[in-house]
């Protein structure tokens, strides 16, 4: 299993990082109250994050609301910086930003999980009781599904969990023809009109990906449905499935069991082959358990993604405190295994994102949860400015290694846009061929982040506009090719086509920068690209932030706001 997921209806998805963030000071990272760690100079740990959830050490790999407290459960290896020895670690928060650690919630102890406690999801049962379904590995190394519930419901921190004596509740058998090595990651459960619970388990048969459906009257005795909720040929293993409704209008979240004409449904899959999260938007017939994606919404490499960069094994949960659906995902490393072991940790959580359905009904919008803005400091605002072709402008006054930047561009001169070749259908390939240094007509223009003085190192996040047959096409890129002088890193360039009309609206870009993370949101959250980068020069106080335009045609900076980000208190 790759980096599986663990979270659910009220779980703050935890298939990402591990025990948390660090205390960050201007040129020094200090890890306090952790007996296993010594104080470490930032020159030795320049890639540790300041406000993204991350383990103090070792490897990590959901989120739930209970009695007003957010609970983050996540896969964690207490013994090393690589995958293995997986338990469920546990932290809590009141704001999704600052986190307090607790003892691990679930350890291997039963035959159904003796070889590891892998990912799963939480469901809030009637009466408010949380129930955790999770994948365990049995003595035969088969993947099976187990149940755990809190020992003491009066404890808002849910520090102790009790496993069902009937575990495992779902398992591969000769009769159900389930692949014992490809049967994992139960979703948050939902109630159908027949008052039976439903849950999906990710699986495959040969190259056919499956979302296997199980039903139960009591949440303990589960029966496999005759047919999967959804399947697709040639897609491989479907990890970490997620299935939930989104309202046709507005930004609110709704209960996972809601169905009917007022909502669409989203089916999200983590494809093990590509290590990307794909989703479809469609209609769910709850009486027949049939899910039908919108026309053109597909479960493959040409389909919609939550994130077109480093982002995997995500889950959503319904935040009942703020009536929103929140998405959480895992940002894996781009450094070598040897470097991961050397630095002593691997894996980071993305900033939680609120998600809702776009007005078109065809895709989701994602935006960092508003709570992260509490960390903003040292606000810098640039006045409206014409950015001539070939120009680079430094944004000073913020801590460029730990910042939040929001910029928008006003575009004119569309006659200078390059013609879009009809064969250019792969945005990532197009971004790699037309990177930040390749001069165009309208673009590339955007941000150079985690840049060194002299720009020998930089990560470029930018737009390029093409003239298509009937409209102008916007390409959004995150170019890591010059992100580090260390050639042992994965420096893939990422890209996405952005569904906006530059003729009638400005192009907006927001980037969350955190030492080794660049999370970027284009078009108000219509496309997201996350990157992991490891500069050797542009670290800590030596990092710089620039706005650039490498196109022949000038573009106008309509607005630019940037903030230094304070450290979060994590574990």
């Amino acid at each position: 299993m790759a980096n599986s997921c663990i979270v659910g209806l009220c779980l703050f998805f935890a298939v990402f990082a591990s025990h948390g963030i660090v205390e960050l000071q201007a040129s020094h990272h200090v890890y306090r109250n952790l007996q296993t760690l010594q104080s470490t100079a930032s020159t030795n740990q320049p890639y540790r994050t300041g406000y993204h959830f991350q383990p103090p050490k070792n490897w990590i790999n959901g989120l739930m609301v209970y009695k007003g407290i957010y609970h983050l459960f996540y896969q964690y290896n207490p013994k090393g910086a690589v995958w293995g020895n997986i338990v469920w670690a546990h932290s809590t928060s009141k704001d999704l930003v600052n986190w307090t650690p607790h003892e691990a919630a679930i350890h291997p102890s039963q035959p159904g999980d003796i070889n590891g406690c892998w990912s799963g999801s939480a469901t809030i049962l009637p009466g408010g009781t949380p129930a955790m379904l999770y994948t365990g590995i049995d003595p035969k190394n088969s993947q099976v599904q187990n149940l755990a519930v809190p020992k003491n419901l009066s404890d808002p921190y849910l520090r102790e969990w009790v496993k069902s004596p009937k575990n495992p509740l779902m398992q591969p058998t000769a009769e159900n023809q389930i692949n014992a090595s490809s049967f994992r990651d139960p979703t948050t459960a939902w109630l159908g009109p027949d008052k039976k619970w439903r849950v999906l388990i990710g699986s495959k048969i040969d190259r056919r990906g499956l979302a296997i459906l199980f039903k139960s009257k009591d949440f303990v005795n589960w029966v496999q449905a005759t047919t999967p909720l959804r399947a697709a040929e040639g897609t491989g293993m479907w990890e970490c499935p997620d299935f939930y409704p989104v309202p046709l209008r507005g930004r609110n979240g709704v209960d996972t069991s809601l169905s009917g004409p007022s909502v669409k449904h989203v089916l999200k899959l983590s494809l093990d082959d590509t290590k990307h999260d794909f989703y479809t938007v469609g209609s769910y017939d709850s009486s027949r358990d049939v899910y039908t994606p919108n026309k053109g919404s597909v479960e493959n490499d040409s389909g919609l993604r939550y994130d077109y960069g480093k982002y995997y094994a995500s889950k959503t949960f319904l935040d009942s405190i703020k009536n929103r659906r929140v998405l959480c995902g895992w940002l894996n490393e781009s450094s070598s295994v040897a470097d991961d072991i050397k630095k002593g940790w691997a894996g980071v959580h993305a900033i939680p994102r609120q998600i809702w359905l776009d007005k078109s009904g065809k895709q989701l919008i994602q935006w960092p949860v508003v709570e992260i803005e509490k960390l903003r400091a040292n606000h810098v605002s640039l006045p409206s400015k014409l950015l001539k072709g070939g120009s680079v402008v430094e944004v000073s006054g913020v801590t460029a290694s730990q910042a939040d930047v929001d910029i928008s561009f006003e575009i004119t001169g569309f006659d200078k846009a390059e013609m879009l070749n009809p064969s250019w259908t792969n945005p990532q390939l197009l971004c790699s061929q037309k990177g930040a240094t390749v001069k165009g007509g309208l673009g590339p223009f955007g941000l150079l982040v985690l840049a060194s003085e002299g720009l020998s190192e930089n990560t470029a996040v930018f737009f390029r506009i093409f003239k298509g047959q009937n409209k102008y096409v916007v390409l959004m890129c995150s170019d890591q090719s010059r992100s580090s002088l260390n050639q042992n890193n994965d420096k893939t360039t990422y890209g996405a086509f952005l569904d906006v009309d530059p003729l009638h609206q400005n192009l907006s870009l927001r980037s969350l920068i955190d030492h080794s993370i660049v999370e970027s949101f284009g078009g108000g959250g219509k496309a997201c690209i996350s990157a992991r980068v490891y500069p050797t020069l542009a670290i800590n106080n030596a990092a710089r932030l620039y706005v650039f335009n490498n196109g022949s045609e000038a573009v106008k900076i309509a607005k630019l706001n940037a903030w230094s980000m304070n450290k979060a208190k994590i574990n």
Side-chain angles (χ1 to χ4, degrees), residues 61-77:
N61 187 357
L63 180 64
M64 171 179 70
V65 175
Y66 184 71
K67 293 186 181 295
I69 295 175
Y70 298 104
H71 292 257
L72 171 58
F73 300 90
Y74 54 96
Q75 294 186 7
Y76 179 59
N77 179 1

PDB file of all heavy atoms in Angstrom, residues 61-77:
ATOM      1  N   ASN A  61       1.729   9.566   7.928  1.00  0.00           N
ATOM      2  CA  ASN A  61       0.809   9.578   6.875  1.00  0.00           C
ATOM      3  C   ASN A  61      -0.282  10.531   7.216  1.00  0.00           C
ATOM      4  O   ASN A  61      -0.324  11.065   8.141  1.00  0.00           O
ATOM      5  CB  ASN A  61       0.201   8.213   6.676  1.00  0.00           C
ATOM      6  CG  ASN A  61      -0.635   8.231   5.448  1.00  0.00           C
ATOM      7  OD1 ASN A  61      -0.775   9.246   4.817  1.00  0.00           O
ATOM      8  ND2 ASN A  61      -1.194   7.109   5.127  1.00  0.00           N
ATOM      9  N   GLY A  62      -8.449  10.489   9.706  1.00  0.00           N
ATOM     10  CA  GLY A  62      -8.364  11.691   9.527  1.00  0.00           C
ATOM     11  C   GLY A  62      -8.617  12.881  10.286  1.00  0.00           C
ATOM     12  O   GLY A  62      -7.648  13.281  10.753  1.00  0.00           O
ATOM     13  N   LEU A  63      -9.761  13.662  10.036  1.00  0.00           N
ATOM     14  CA  LEU A  63     -10.107  14.765  10.942  1.00  0.00           C
ATOM     15  C   LEU A  63     -11.555  14.623  11.346  1.00  0.00           C
ATOM     16  O   LEU A  63     -12.380  14.274  10.554  1.00  0.00           O
ATOM     17  CB  LEU A  63      -9.871  16.107  10.278  1.00  0.00           C
ATOM     18  CG  LEU A  63     -10.187  17.348  11.082  1.00  0.00           C
ATOM     19  CD1 LEU A  63      -9.364  17.549  12.307  1.00  0.00           C
ATOM     20  CD2 LEU A  63     -10.040  18.551  10.224  1.00  0.00           C
ATOM     21  N   MET A  64     -11.857  14.937  12.544  1.00  0.00           N
ATOM     22  CA  MET A  64     -13.203  14.758  13.051  1.00  0.00           C
ATOM     23  C   MET A  64     -13.484  15.872  14.033  1.00  0.00           C
ATOM     24  O   MET A  64     -12.584  16.365  14.712  1.00  0.00           O
ATOM     25  CB  MET A  64     -13.281  13.398  13.747  1.00  0.00           C
ATOM     26  CG  MET A  64     -14.544  13.134  14.505  1.00  0.00           C
ATOM     27  SD  MET A  64     -14.501  11.474  15.231  1.00  0.00           S
ATOM     28  CE  MET A  64     -13.252  11.685  16.481  1.00  0.00           C
ATOM     29  N   VAL A  65     -14.736  16.283  14.118  1.00  0.00           N
ATOM     30  CA  VAL A  65     -15.149  17.266  15.111  1.00  0.00           C
ATOM     31  C   VAL A  65     -15.954  16.546  16.185  1.00  0.00           C
ATOM     32  O   VAL A  65     -16.899  15.804  15.873  1.00  0.00           O
ATOM     33  CB  VAL A  65     -16.011  18.368  14.474  1.00  0.00           C
ATOM     34  CG1 VAL A  65     -16.527  19.319  15.529  1.00  0.00           C
ATOM     35  CG2 VAL A  65     -15.211  19.126  13.436  1.00  0.00           C
ATOM     36  N   TYR A  66     -15.582  16.763  17.448  1.00  0.00           N
ATOM     37  CA  TYR A  66     -16.315  16.156  18.558  1.00  0.00           C
ATOM     38  C   TYR A  66     -16.303  17.125  19.724  1.00  0.00           C
ATOM     39  O   TYR A  66     -15.239  17.558  20.186  1.00  0.00           O
ATOM     40  CB  TYR A  66     -15.677  14.830  18.968  1.00  0.00           C
ATOM     41  CG  TYR A  66     -16.443  14.099  20.053  1.00  0.00           C
ATOM     42  CD1 TYR A  66     -17.675  13.500  19.779  1.00  0.00           C
ATOM     43  CD2 TYR A  66     -15.941  14.011  21.341  1.00  0.00           C
ATOM     44  CE1 TYR A  66     -18.375  12.834  20.767  1.00  0.00           C
ATOM     45  CE2 TYR A  66     -16.629  13.334  22.344  1.00  0.00           C
ATOM     46  CZ  TYR A  66     -17.858  12.754  22.048  1.00  0.00           C
ATOM     47  OH  TYR A  66     -18.563  12.085  23.036  1.00  0.00           O
ATOM     48  N   LYS A  67     -17.504  17.493  20.183  1.00  0.00           N
ATOM     49  CA  LYS A  67     -17.656  18.422  21.307  1.00  0.00           C
ATOM     50  C   LYS A  67     -16.847  19.698  21.093  1.00  0.00           C
ATOM     51  O   LYS A  67     -16.172  20.207  22.000  1.00  0.00           O
ATOM     52  CB  LYS A  67     -17.274  17.749  22.626  1.00  0.00           C
ATOM     53  CG  LYS A  67     -18.215  16.624  23.045  1.00  0.00           C
ATOM     54  CD  LYS A  67     -17.868  16.089  24.419  1.00  0.00           C
ATOM     55  CE  LYS A  67     -18.789  14.937  24.829  1.00  0.00           C
ATOM     56  NZ  LYS A  67     -20.199  15.340  24.990  1.00  0.00           N
ATOM     57  N   GLY A  68     -16.876  20.227  19.850  1.00  0.00           N
ATOM     58  CA  GLY A  68     -16.224  21.489  19.552  1.00  0.00           C
ATOM     59  C   GLY A  68     -14.730  21.411  19.353  1.00  0.00           C
ATOM     60  O   GLY A  68     -14.070  22.451  19.219  1.00  0.00           O
ATOM     61  N   ILE A  69     -14.164  20.208  19.293  1.00  0.00           N
ATOM     62  CA  ILE A  69     -12.717  20.044  19.134  1.00  0.00           C
ATOM     63  C   ILE A  69     -12.440  19.251  17.864  1.00  0.00           C
ATOM     64  O   ILE A  69     -13.088  18.236  17.601  1.00  0.00           O
ATOM     65  CB  ILE A  69     -12.112  19.330  20.367  1.00  0.00           C
ATOM     66  CG1 ILE A  69     -12.262  20.220  21.603  1.00  0.00           C
ATOM     67  CG2 ILE A  69     -10.643  18.985  20.130  1.00  0.00           C
ATOM     68  CD1 ILE A  69     -11.817  19.559  22.888  1.00  0.00           C
ATOM     69  N   TYR A  70     -11.480  19.737  17.080  1.00  0.00           N
ATOM     70  CA  TYR A  70     -11.050  19.010  15.885  1.00  0.00           C
ATOM     71  C   TYR A  70     -10.040  17.934  16.276  1.00  0.00           C
ATOM     72  O   TYR A  70      -9.121  18.189  17.061  1.00  0.00           O
ATOM     73  CB  TYR A  70     -10.401  19.954  14.869  1.00  0.00           C
ATOM     74  CG  TYR A  70     -11.307  21.023  14.347  1.00  0.00           C
ATOM     75  CD1 TYR A  70     -11.198  22.342  14.789  1.00  0.00           C
ATOM     76  CD2 TYR A  70     -12.271  20.733  13.386  1.00  0.00           C
ATOM     77  CE1 TYR A  70     -12.030  23.333  14.303  1.00  0.00           C
ATOM     78  CE2 TYR A  70     -13.111  21.720  12.886  1.00  0.00           C
ATOM     79  CZ  TYR A  70     -12.990  23.019  13.357  1.00  0.00           C
ATOM     80  OH  TYR A  70     -13.816  23.994  12.869  1.00  0.00           O
ATOM     81  N   HIS A  71     -10.244  16.749  15.724  1.00  0.00           N
ATOM     82  CA  HIS A  71      -9.342  15.628  15.994  1.00  0.00           C
ATOM     83  C   HIS A  71      -8.654  15.217  14.708  1.00  0.00           C
ATOM     84  O   HIS A  71      -9.308  14.912  13.702  1.00  0.00           O
ATOM     85  CB  HIS A  71     -10.122  14.432  16.554  1.00  0.00           C
ATOM     86  CG  HIS A  71     -10.683  14.673  17.916  1.00  0.00           C
ATOM     87  ND1 HIS A  71     -10.126  14.156  19.053  1.00  0.00           N
ATOM     88  CD2 HIS A  71     -11.754  15.411  18.317  1.00  0.00           C
ATOM     89  CE1 HIS A  71     -10.832  14.546  20.110  1.00  0.00           C
ATOM     90  NE2 HIS A  71     -11.827  15.314  19.679  1.00  0.00           N
ATOM     91  N   LEU A  72      -7.342  15.210  14.729  1.00  0.00           N
ATOM     92  CA  LEU A  72      -6.555  14.758  13.589  1.00  0.00           C
ATOM     93  C   LEU A  72      -5.925  13.408  13.925  1.00  0.00           C
ATOM     94  O   LEU A  72      -5.140  13.292  14.851  1.00  0.00           O
ATOM     95  CB  LEU A  72      -5.460  15.772  13.258  1.00  0.00           C
ATOM     96  CG  LEU A  72      -4.416  15.351  12.236  1.00  0.00           C
ATOM     97  CD1 LEU A  72      -5.070  14.989  10.907  1.00  0.00           C
ATOM     98  CD2 LEU A  72      -3.395  16.454  12.020  1.00  0.00           C
ATOM     99  N   PHE A  73      -6.327  12.385  13.179  1.00  0.00           N
ATOM    100  CA  PHE A  73      -5.715  11.067  13.290  1.00  0.00           C
ATOM    101  C   PHE A  73      -4.873  10.844  12.043  1.00  0.00           C
ATOM    102  O   PHE A  73      -5.302  11.163  10.940  1.00  0.00           O
ATOM    103  CB  PHE A  73      -6.781   9.983  13.413  1.00  0.00           C
ATOM    104  CG  PHE A  73      -7.678  10.142  14.603  1.00  0.00           C
ATOM    105  CD1 PHE A  73      -8.842  10.883  14.518  1.00  0.00           C
ATOM    106  CD2 PHE A  73      -7.354   9.550  15.819  1.00  0.00           C
ATOM    107  CE1 PHE A  73      -9.680  11.032  15.610  1.00  0.00           C
ATOM    108  CE2 PHE A  73      -8.184   9.703  16.921  1.00  0.00           C
ATOM    109  CZ  PHE A  73      -9.346  10.443  16.817  1.00  0.00           C
ATOM    110  N   TYR A  74      -3.716  10.309  12.211  1.00  0.00           N
ATOM    111  CA  TYR A  74      -2.844  10.168  11.051  1.00  0.00           C
ATOM    112  C   TYR A  74      -1.925   8.969  11.198  1.00  0.00           C
ATOM    113  O   TYR A  74      -1.565   8.558  12.304  1.00  0.00           O
ATOM    114  CB  TYR A  74      -2.027  11.440  10.829  1.00  0.00           C
ATOM    115  CG  TYR A  74      -1.242  11.919  12.033  1.00  0.00           C
ATOM    116  CD1 TYR A  74       0.093  11.582  12.198  1.00  0.00           C
ATOM    117  CD2 TYR A  74      -1.851  12.705  13.009  1.00  0.00           C
ATOM    118  CE1 TYR A  74       0.811  12.027  13.298  1.00  0.00           C
ATOM    119  CE2 TYR A  74      -1.151  13.145  14.113  1.00  0.00           C
ATOM    120  CZ  TYR A  74       0.186  12.808  14.258  1.00  0.00           C
ATOM    121  OH  TYR A  74       0.876  13.238  15.355  1.00  0.00           O
ATOM    122  N   GLN A  75      -1.567   8.409  10.070  1.00  0.00           N
ATOM    123  CA  GLN A  75      -0.646   7.282  10.054  1.00  0.00           C
ATOM    124  C   GLN A  75       0.747   7.768  10.413  1.00  0.00           C
ATOM    125  O   GLN A  75       1.226   8.771   9.882  1.00  0.00           O
ATOM    126  CB  GLN A  75      -0.616   6.623   8.675  1.00  0.00           C
ATOM    127  CG  GLN A  75      -1.927   5.969   8.305  1.00  0.00           C
ATOM    128  CD  GLN A  75      -1.816   5.201   7.009  1.00  0.00           C
ATOM    129  OE1 GLN A  75      -0.741   5.042   6.459  1.00  0.00           O
ATOM    130  NE2 GLN A  75      -2.936   4.718   6.518  1.00  0.00           N
ATOM    131  N   TYR A  76       1.385   7.030  11.284  1.00  0.00           N
ATOM    132  CA  TYR A  76       2.679   7.472  11.790  1.00  0.00           C
ATOM    133  C   TYR A  76       3.565   6.266  12.057  1.00  0.00           C
ATOM    134  O   TYR A  76       3.113   5.251  12.587  1.00  0.00           O
ATOM    135  CB  TYR A  76       2.474   8.271  13.091  1.00  0.00           C
ATOM    136  CG  TYR A  76       3.741   8.769  13.738  1.00  0.00           C
ATOM    137  CD1 TYR A  76       4.607   9.614  13.045  1.00  0.00           C
ATOM    138  CD2 TYR A  76       4.064   8.430  15.051  1.00  0.00           C
ATOM    139  CE1 TYR A  76       5.759  10.089  13.646  1.00  0.00           C
ATOM    140  CE2 TYR A  76       5.212   8.900  15.652  1.00  0.00           C
ATOM    141  CZ  TYR A  76       6.066   9.737  14.952  1.00  0.00           C
ATOM    142  OH  TYR A  76       7.204  10.207  15.546  1.00  0.00           O
ATOM    143  N   ASN A  77       4.806   6.393  11.644  1.00  0.00           N
ATOM    144  CA  ASN A  77       5.800   5.373  11.963  1.00  0.00           C
ATOM    145  C   ASN A  77       6.649   5.887  13.117  1.00  0.00           C
ATOM    146  O   ASN A  77       7.496   6.766  12.920  1.00  0.00           O
ATOM    147  CB  ASN A  77       6.683   5.079  10.748  1.00  0.00           C
ATOM    148  CG  ASN A  77       7.755   4.033  11.048  1.00  0.00           C
ATOM    149  OD1 ASN A  77       7.832   3.507  12.152  1.00  0.00           O
ATOM    150  ND2 ASN A  77       8.574   3.739  10.059  1.00  0.00           N
TER     151      ASN A  77
END
